[in-house]
mmCIF file of all heavy atoms in Angstrom:
data_model
loop_
_atom_site.group_PDB
_atom_site.id
_atom_site.type_symbol
_atom_site.label_atom_id
_atom_site.label_comp_id
_atom_site.label_asym_id
_atom_site.label_seq_id
_atom_site.Cartn_x
_atom_site.Cartn_y
_atom_site.Cartn_z
ATOM 1 N N LEU B 45 205.100 24.674 233.401
ATOM 2 C CA LEU B 45 205.677 25.427 234.502
ATOM 3 C C LEU B 45 206.236 24.483 235.568
ATOM 4 O O LEU B 45 205.533 23.577 236.048
ATOM 5 C CB LEU B 45 204.599 26.324 235.115
ATOM 6 C CG LEU B 45 205.010 27.238 236.253
ATOM 7 C CD1 LEU B 45 206.012 28.285 235.782
ATOM 8 C CD2 LEU B 45 203.775 27.908 236.843
ATOM 9 N N ILE B 46 207.492 24.710 235.958
ATOM 10 C CA ILE B 46 208.145 23.870 236.957
ATOM 11 C C ILE B 46 208.024 24.512 238.346
ATOM 12 O O ILE B 46 207.453 23.940 239.276
ATOM 13 C CB ILE B 46 209.626 23.655 236.627
ATOM 14 C CG1 ILE B 46 209.779 23.055 235.227
ATOM 15 C CG2 ILE B 46 210.283 22.722 237.657
ATOM 16 C CD1 ILE B 46 211.235 23.012 234.743
ATOM 17 N N HIS B 47 208.616 25.675 238.494
ATOM 18 C CA HIS B 47 208.551 26.455 239.738
ATOM 19 C C HIS B 47 208.470 27.929 239.365
ATOM 20 O O HIS B 47 208.856 28.322 238.273
ATOM 21 C CB HIS B 47 209.803 26.237 240.594
ATOM 22 C CG HIS B 47 209.876 24.937 241.305
ATOM 23 N ND1 HIS B 47 209.137 24.667 242.427
ATOM 24 C CD2 HIS B 47 210.622 23.833 241.062
ATOM 25 C CE1 HIS B 47 209.420 23.432 242.859
ATOM 26 N NE2 HIS B 47 210.312 22.908 242.042
ATOM 27 N N TYR B 48 207.996 28.713 240.302
ATOM 28 C CA TYR B 48 207.963 30.147 240.079
ATOM 29 C C TYR B 48 208.224 30.886 241.381
ATOM 30 O O TYR B 48 208.190 30.293 242.472
ATOM 31 C CB TYR B 48 206.622 30.582 239.488
ATOM 32 C CG TYR B 48 205.423 30.310 240.369
ATOM 33 C CD1 TYR B 48 204.961 31.274 241.256
ATOM 34 C CD2 TYR B 48 204.743 29.091 240.292
ATOM 35 C CE1 TYR B 48 203.859 31.016 242.071
ATOM 36 C CE2 TYR B 48 203.655 28.845 241.092
ATOM 37 C CZ TYR B 48 203.206 29.803 241.971
ATOM 38 O OH TYR B 48 202.127 29.559 242.771
ATOM 39 N N SER B 49 208.469 32.176 241.246
ATOM 40 C CA SER B 49 208.752 33.020 242.405
ATOM 41 C C SER B 49 208.102 34.387 242.193
ATOM 42 O O SER B 49 208.200 34.952 241.097
ATOM 43 C CB SER B 49 210.260 33.180 242.593
ATOM 44 O OG SER B 49 210.549 34.182 243.536
ATOM 45 N N VAL B 50 207.473 34.895 243.224
ATOM 46 C CA VAL B 50 206.832 36.211 243.112
ATOM 47 C C VAL B 50 207.693 37.294 243.764
ATOM 48 O O VAL B 50 207.293 38.460 243.799
ATOM 49 C CB VAL B 50 205.419 36.209 243.723
ATOM 50 C CG1 VAL B 50 204.548 35.208 242.984
ATOM 51 C CG2 VAL B 50 205.448 35.898 245.210
ATOM 52 N N GLY B 51 208.848 36.900 244.274
ATOM 53 C CA GLY B 51 209.760 37.876 244.858
ATOM 54 C C GLY B 51 210.859 37.168 245.612
ATOM 55 O O GLY B 51 210.789 35.951 245.849
ATOM 56 N N ALA B 52 211.882 37.922 246.014
ATOM 57 C CA ALA B 52 212.993 37.323 246.753
ATOM 58 C C ALA B 52 212.482 36.641 248.017
ATOM 59 O O ALA B 52 211.667 37.203 248.765
ATOM 60 C CB ALA B 52 214.001 38.411 247.109
ATOM 61 N N GLY B 53 212.936 35.397 248.203
ATOM 62 C CA GLY B 53 212.549 34.623 249.379
ATOM 63 C C GLY B 53 211.260 33.877 249.267
ATOM 64 O O GLY B 53 210.869 33.144 250.198
ATOM 65 N N ILE B 54 210.560 34.010 248.120
ATOM 66 C CA ILE B 54 209.256 33.374 247.951
ATOM 67 C C ILE B 54 209.252 32.524 246.696
ATOM 68 O O ILE B 54 209.478 33.031 245.594
ATOM 69 C CB ILE B 54 208.133 34.432 247.849
ATOM 70 C CG1 ILE B 54 208.169 35.395 249.027
ATOM 71 C CG2 ILE B 54 206.763 33.747 247.743
ATOM 72 C CD1 ILE B 54 207.250 36.586 248.863
ATOM 73 N N THR B 55 209.005 31.238 246.852
ATOM 74 C CA THR B 55 208.907 30.349 245.691
ATOM 75 C C THR B 55 207.696 29.430 245.861
ATOM 76 O O THR B 55 207.205 29.240 246.970
ATOM 77 C CB THR B 55 210.175 29.485 245.514
ATOM 78 O OG1 THR B 55 210.327 28.615 246.648
ATOM 79 C CG2 THR B 55 211.422 30.343 245.382
ATOM 80 N N ASP B 56 207.260 28.867 244.759
ATOM 81 C CA ASP B 56 206.139 27.945 244.805
ATOM 82 C C ASP B 56 206.228 26.990 243.636
ATOM 83 O O ASP B 56 206.958 27.221 242.667
ATOM 84 C CB ASP B 56 204.800 28.702 244.772
ATOM 85 C CG ASP B 56 203.670 27.917 245.432
ATOM 86 O OD1 ASP B 56 203.847 26.695 245.654
ATOM 87 O OD2 ASP B 56 202.624 28.511 245.717
ATOM 88 N N GLN B 57 205.474 25.889 243.737
ATOM 89 C CA GLN B 57 205.528 24.850 242.719
ATOM 90 C C GLN B 57 204.580 25.139 241.581
ATOM 91 O O GLN B 57 203.494 25.695 241.765
ATOM 92 C CB GLN B 57 205.151 23.496 243.359
ATOM 93 C CG GLN B 57 206.129 23.036 244.417
ATOM 94 C CD GLN B 57 205.732 21.692 244.998
ATOM 95 O OE1 GLN B 57 204.651 21.177 244.747
ATOM 96 N NE2 GLN B 57 206.625 21.104 245.786
ATOM 97 N N GLY B 58 204.994 24.707 240.411
ATOM 98 C CA GLY B 58 204.143 24.800 239.240
ATOM 99 C C GLY B 58 203.524 23.462 238.910
ATOM 100 O O GLY B 58 203.222 22.667 239.804
ATOM 101 N N GLU B 59 203.366 23.176 237.626
ATOM 102 C CA GLU B 59 202.688 21.966 237.178
ATOM 103 C C GLU B 59 203.544 20.711 237.327
ATOM 104 O O GLU B 59 203.042 19.633 237.639
ATOM 105 C CB GLU B 59 202.274 22.142 235.708
ATOM 106 C CG GLU B 59 201.549 20.982 235.087
ATOM 107 C CD GLU B 59 201.288 21.189 233.597
ATOM 108 O OE1 GLU B 59 201.605 22.279 233.082
ATOM 109 O OE2 GLU B 59 200.789 20.263 232.943
ATOM 110 N N VAL B 60 204.875 20.829 237.106
ATOM 111 C CA VAL B 60 205.748 19.656 237.102
ATOM 112 C C VAL B 60 206.970 19.882 237.985
ATOM 113 O O VAL B 60 208.097 19.927 237.506
ATOM 114 C CB VAL B 60 206.167 19.279 235.668
ATOM 115 C CG1 VAL B 60 205.007 18.681 234.902
ATOM 116 C CG2 VAL B 60 206.715 20.490 234.921
ATOM 117 N N PRO B 61 206.825 19.993 239.301
ATOM 118 C CA PRO B 61 207.933 20.364 240.171
ATOM 119 C C PRO B 61 208.846 19.223 240.611
ATOM 120 O O PRO B 61 209.960 19.467 241.089
ATOM 121 C CB PRO B 61 207.211 20.945 241.387
ATOM 122 C CG PRO B 61 205.947 20.141 241.469
ATOM 123 C CD PRO B 61 205.556 19.875 240.034
ATOM 124 N N ASN B 62 208.387 17.971 240.471
ATOM 125 C CA ASN B 62 209.140 16.849 241.030
ATOM 126 C C ASN B 62 210.526 16.703 240.400
ATOM 127 O O ASN B 62 210.663 16.703 239.181
ATOM 128 C CB ASN B 62 208.357 15.559 240.851
ATOM 129 C CG ASN B 62 207.096 15.539 241.695
ATOM 130 O OD1 ASN B 62 206.976 16.297 242.652
ATOM 131 N ND2 ASN B 62 206.156 14.685 241.352
ATOM 132 N N GLY B 63 211.531 16.583 241.267
ATOM 133 C CA GLY B 63 212.905 16.412 240.813
ATOM 134 C C GLY B 63 213.677 17.711 240.693
ATOM 135 O O GLY B 63 214.856 17.688 240.324
ATOM 136 N N TYR B 64 213.016 18.809 240.990
ATOM 137 C CA TYR B 64 213.630 20.132 240.865
ATOM 138 C C TYR B 64 213.482 20.940 242.163
ATOM 139 O O TYR B 64 212.448 20.860 242.808
ATOM 140 C CB TYR B 64 212.974 20.938 239.735
ATOM 141 C CG TYR B 64 212.899 20.249 238.412
ATOM 142 C CD1 TYR B 64 211.756 19.555 238.030
ATOM 143 C CD2 TYR B 64 213.968 20.296 237.504
ATOM 144 C CE1 TYR B 64 211.662 18.910 236.814
ATOM 145 C CE2 TYR B 64 213.881 19.677 236.267
ATOM 146 C CZ TYR B 64 212.720 18.979 235.937
ATOM 147 O OH TYR B 64 212.640 18.366 234.709
ATOM 148 N N ASN B 65 214.529 21.709 242.460
ATOM 149 C CA ASN B 65 214.453 22.654 243.574
ATOM 150 C C ASN B 65 214.821 24.040 243.094
ATOM 151 O O ASN B 65 215.614 24.184 242.140
ATOM 152 C CB ASN B 65 215.412 22.266 244.699
ATOM 153 C CG ASN B 65 214.885 21.126 245.529
ATOM 154 O OD1 ASN B 65 213.703 20.795 245.486
ATOM 155 N ND2 ASN B 65 215.771 20.515 246.307
ATOM 156 N N VAL B 66 214.266 25.045 243.743
ATOM 157 C CA VAL B 66 214.611 26.418 243.417
ATOM 158 C C VAL B 66 214.791 27.221 244.698
ATOM 159 O O VAL B 66 214.335 26.804 245.776
ATOM 160 C CB VAL B 66 213.527 27.114 242.556
ATOM 161 C CG1 VAL B 66 213.447 26.510 241.173
ATOM 162 C CG2 VAL B 66 212.170 27.071 243.259
ATOM 163 N N SER B 67 215.437 28.352 244.560
ATOM 164 C CA SER B 67 215.539 29.333 245.627
ATOM 165 C C SER B 67 215.609 30.700 244.999
ATOM 166 O O SER B 67 215.968 30.836 243.823
ATOM 167 C CB SER B 67 216.771 29.061 246.506
ATOM 168 O OG SER B 67 217.949 29.153 245.722
ATOM 169 N N ARG B 68 215.288 31.712 245.762
ATOM 170 C CA ARG B 68 215.318 33.079 245.227
ATOM 171 C C ARG B 68 215.885 33.983 246.339
ATOM 172 O O ARG B 68 215.141 34.587 247.107
ATOM 173 C CB ARG B 68 213.912 33.538 244.833
ATOM 174 C CG ARG B 68 213.873 34.925 244.197
ATOM 175 C CD ARG B 68 213.846 34.860 242.719
ATOM 176 N NE ARG B 68 213.797 36.175 242.088
ATOM 177 C CZ ARG B 68 212.663 36.802 241.759
ATOM 178 N NH1 ARG B 68 211.498 36.230 242.038
ATOM 179 N NH2 ARG B 68 212.716 37.960 241.175
ATOM 180 N N SER B 69 217.192 34.056 246.411
ATOM 181 C CA SER B 69 217.822 34.852 247.444
ATOM 182 C C SER B 69 217.940 36.323 247.044
ATOM 183 O O SER B 69 218.050 37.205 247.903
ATOM 184 C CB SER B 69 219.206 34.292 247.795
ATOM 185 O OG SER B 69 220.017 34.239 246.636
ATOM 186 N N THR B 70 217.927 36.608 245.753
ATOM 187 C CA THR B 70 217.969 37.983 245.261
ATOM 188 C C THR B 70 216.890 38.177 244.213
ATOM 189 O O THR B 70 216.367 37.208 243.649
ATOM 190 C CB THR B 70 219.327 38.331 244.617
ATOM 191 O OG1 THR B 70 219.488 37.545 243.425
ATOM 192 C CG2 THR B 70 220.487 38.042 245.566
ATOM 193 N N THR B 71 216.584 39.415 243.899
ATOM 194 C CA THR B 71 215.615 39.698 242.854
ATOM 195 C C THR B 71 216.111 39.246 241.486
ATOM 196 O O THR B 71 215.345 38.792 240.642
ATOM 197 C CB THR B 71 215.317 41.214 242.796
ATOM 198 O OG1 THR B 71 214.766 41.622 244.051
ATOM 199 C CG2 THR B 71 214.328 41.551 241.699
ATOM 200 N N GLU B 72 217.441 39.322 241.292
ATOM 201 C CA GLU B 72 218.003 39.086 239.961
ATOM 202 C C GLU B 72 218.123 37.610 239.593
ATOM 203 O O GLU B 72 218.034 37.260 238.416
ATOM 204 C CB GLU B 72 219.402 39.720 239.871
ATOM 205 C CG GLU B 72 219.421 41.231 239.959
ATOM 206 C CD GLU B 72 219.257 41.736 241.374
ATOM 207 O OE1 GLU B 72 219.489 40.965 242.344
ATOM 208 O OE2 GLU B 72 218.867 42.913 241.547
#
Side-chain angles (χ1 to χ4, degrees):
Chain B
L45 182 65
I46 304 171
H47 285 284
Y48 62 92
S49 169
V50 300
I54 306 170
T55 64
D56 206 345
Q57 296 181 350
E59 181 185 356
V60 288
N62 292 342
Y64 308 95
N65 282 344
V66 292
S67 60
R68 183 98 179 268
S69 57
T70 67
T71 299
E72 295 78 19

